Amino acid sequence: MILILKPNIETDSHEYKQLMAQLNSLDNIQISLHKEVGIQQVLTEIYLVGNTSLLSLEDMKSFPCVENVVRVSEEYRVLGRHKDDNRPTSFNYNGLHFGQETLHVFAGLCAIDNPEHVELMMKALQEHGQVCTRMGAYKPRTNPYSFQGHGKKCLPYVFELAGKYGIKIIAMEITHEVHIDEIKEALEQTGNPTGIMLQIGTRNTQNFELLKKVGRQQEFPVLLKRGFGITLEESLNAAEYLASEGNRKVIFGLRGMKTNMGDPHRNFVDFAHVPVVKRLTRMPVCIDPSHSVGTREADPDGILDVMHVIAQGVIAGANMILVDFHPAPGKALVDGPQAMTLKELPYFLEDVRIARQAYEDRLALIKRYQ
Ligand code: PEP
Ligand code: MN
């Protein structure tokens, strides 16, 4: 059960103390507190875990400082959708709004290789009105002899260039908790020119200790990729680990499933799950067409498979596109074969706009028929 308190409630107020005294007297119920510090107000939620079936919604609602009470099912307590649950489905970060109604594009390098390529990428993004990107500094690789990413040493120039080209958020995968401190340090050292969305890759979806550490910090939002060999339910529970530790600024990323049934694509594209994740949870949903498809193959008309699956995800209501681009894919140190070129950037953005318009038309249509 979740008690949503009235905004800006003071913890030393009489109403708050009265409520807490009553809750503390309940047997077999654990209480945990979550504070969401927004721009305009602080929202406090109290989670009651244990034998809550005997508690009445009406009794709980009768406390003067309680605004709403939600009885949650066992699954996805924090991130899930529950009956009469009007908690927000969106969040703000570094001036941008992320929700189940918005769409953001994060085009960029799979792996940072050198300052020249980072600059060419960011310059092209700025020229086309983009304020987000993806940049990998810590690369989890199947082969220990493959390039592992430049790690913390590339962060200062990447962040400085982001500031120079107006990039507000960089999605960056981390594979260990120390990377959070390294990112924070480099941001401080460079004067906080940009924001970071921490990415947890498909190989770490069920790295529970990492999830707990990332969930305990609330500074950076998190993009959690779906595990490529586990069920959707297991991956959604992984997202819940982040939220249960305190960070609910979580975006769920679909990136294809590992099975030969998807051949000749690198992974089996799973963007049919965009509406499923939106129905089960309050998370915005990201699609990663590059790691799903894994090639630059095109149909007989010349439309890349990557572009087709982007359109499929966007027309189904995706809220974020994480996609590999590279100024010289032949020279990329990671995943060059799936990267799109800077020349293709305006074409890609226009195609996304068409698919998004189709989604919005479909929304208007269902509203007319409801
Ligand atoms: C990536 O986005 O660079 C990546 C490694 O993705 P995934 O974890 O989905 O394989
Ligand atoms: Mn990659």
Side-chain angles (χ1 to χ4, degrees):
M1 181 175 276
I2 305 174
L3 311 186
I4 296 133
L5 304 193
K6 294 198 169 132
N8 300 324
I9 190 84
E10 302 282 351
T11 49
D12 58 1
S13 65
H14 171 68
E15 293 102 314
Y16 183 81
K17 285 185 181 156
Q18 178 200 26
L19 171 70
M20 292 313 280
Q22 178 68 25
L23 296 179
N24 282 318
S25 72
L26 298 170
D27 285 333
N28 300 320
I29 304 256
Q30 291 95 49
I31 304 169
S32 69
L33 212 65
H34 179 87
K35 270 188 200 289
E36 189 90 18
V37 183
I39 295 167
Q40 275 145 18
Q41 54 188 22
V42 179
L43 284 179
T44 308
E45 292 174 3
I46 301 179
Y47 286 75
L48 304 181
V49 179
N51 189 10
T52 57
S53 57
L54 298 176
L55 300 178
S56 112
L57 283 181
E58 291 316 311
D59 285 354
M60 289 296 145
K61 271 187 197 161
S62 69
F63 286 94
C65 62
V66 173
E67 183 157 277
N68 193 22
V69 182
V70 180
R71 201 182 275 290
V72 295
S73 53
E74 274 302 298
E75 280 195 323
Y76 325 135
R77 280 183 193 152
V78 181
L79 292 173
R81 286 182 179 274
H82 308 285
K83 189 167 174 291
D84 297 327
D85 184 359
N86 51 15
R87 290 174 299 157
T89 56
S90 60
F91 63 84
N92 293 320
Y93 176 62
N94 216 21
L96 298 185
H97 183 70
F98 292 86
Q100 290 194 333
E101 332 71 46
T102 60
L103 176 63
H104 294 282
V105 172
F106 283 64
L109 306 182
C110 178
I112 296 153
D113 40 20
N114 60 49
E116 187 198 342
H117 288 154
V118 172
E119 180 149 21
L120 285 170
M121 184 72 235
M122 290 184 177
K123 189 165 179 286
L125 288 169
Q126 188 184 49
E127 279 165 10
H128 293 97
Q130 298 302 301
V131 293
C132 298
T133 190
R134 58 157 296 149
M135 292 275 151
Y138 309 97
K139 299 305 298 177
R141 305 304 303 279
T142 304
N143 184 331
Y145 306 114
S146 302
F147 173 62
Q148 305 282 311
H150 286 307
K152 70 175 177 184
K153 70 175 190 289
C154 66
L155 300 180
Y157 76 73
V158 172
F159 296 168
E160 273 162 10
L161 286 168
K164 179 173 172 188
Y165 291 104
I167 299 292
K168 291 186 172 179
I169 308 180
I170 303 174
M172 181 172 280
E173 177 165 1
I174 57 159
T175 56
H176 192 281
E177 68 201 71
V178 301
H179 300 156
I180 308 173
D181 296 328
E182 292 176 3
I183 288 171
K184 275 190 194 166
E185 221 171 274
L187 281 173
E188 268 169 39
Q189 191 193 323
T190 53
N192 292 303
T194 187
I196 299 293
M197 181 180 288
L198 299 176
Q199 186 179 320
I200 296 188
T202 195
R203 291 158 187 81
N204 274 316
T205 309
Q206 282 188 315
N207 182 342
F208 299 118
E209 295 310 314
L210 179 64
L211 294 173
K212 286 187 208 165
K213 295 280 168 28
V214 174
R216 274 177 211 145
Q217 64 77 40
Q218 290 190 31
E219 183 175 345
F220 305 115
V222 186
L223 168 63
L224 176 75
K225 294 278 198 89
R226 177 184 193 171
F228 57 19
I230 56 177
T231 63
L232 181 64
E233 189 187 341
E234 287 164 333
S235 289
L236 294 178
N237 271 305
E240 186 71 12
Y241 260 90
L242 294 162
S244 70
E245 293 291 335
N247 191 340
R248 58 182 60 185
K249 292 179 178 166
V250 184
I251 296 180
F252 190 78
L254 299 171
R255 47 83 69 215
M257 304 301 292
K258 199 176 226 3
T259 157
N260 289 343
M261 301 303 160
D263 292 356
H265 291 161
R266 183 173 172 183
N267 288 289
F268 196 72
V269 183
D270 54 349
F271 300 167
H273 280 167
V274 169
V276 179
V277 178
K278 287 170 99 172
R279 176 168 72 240
L280 293 175
T281 78
R282 299 178 297 123
M283 286 184 279
V285 184
C286 173
I287 52 167
D288 177 343
S290 309
H291 291 82
S292 299
V293 169
T295 72
R296 286 185 48 87
E297 294 296 320
D299 73 7
D301 295 313
I303 301 177
L304 297 176
D305 291 11
V306 174
M307 288 307 312
H308 276 299
V309 302
I310 290 169
Q312 288 159 13
V314 171
I315 207 170
N319 306 114
M320 173 170 160
I321 307 169
L322 186 79
V323 56
D324 290 0
F325 272 77
H326 198 282
K331 292 189 190 159
L333 297 178
V334 184
D335 285 347
Q338 71 196 22
M340 287 199 275
T341 63
L342 300 189
K343 213 171 133 223
E344 288 168 323
L345 184 61
Y347 155 74
F348 152 82
L349 291 169
E350 179 61 9
D351 203 51
V352 167
R353 196 196 59 73
I354 293 169
R356 177 68 184 182
Q357 186 58 52
Y359 171 68
E360 282 170 10
D361 291 348
R362 294 176 63 224
L363 270 187
L365 179 66
I366 185 68
K367 293 216 164 94
R368 281 211 306 280
Y369 279 84
Q370 262 165 354

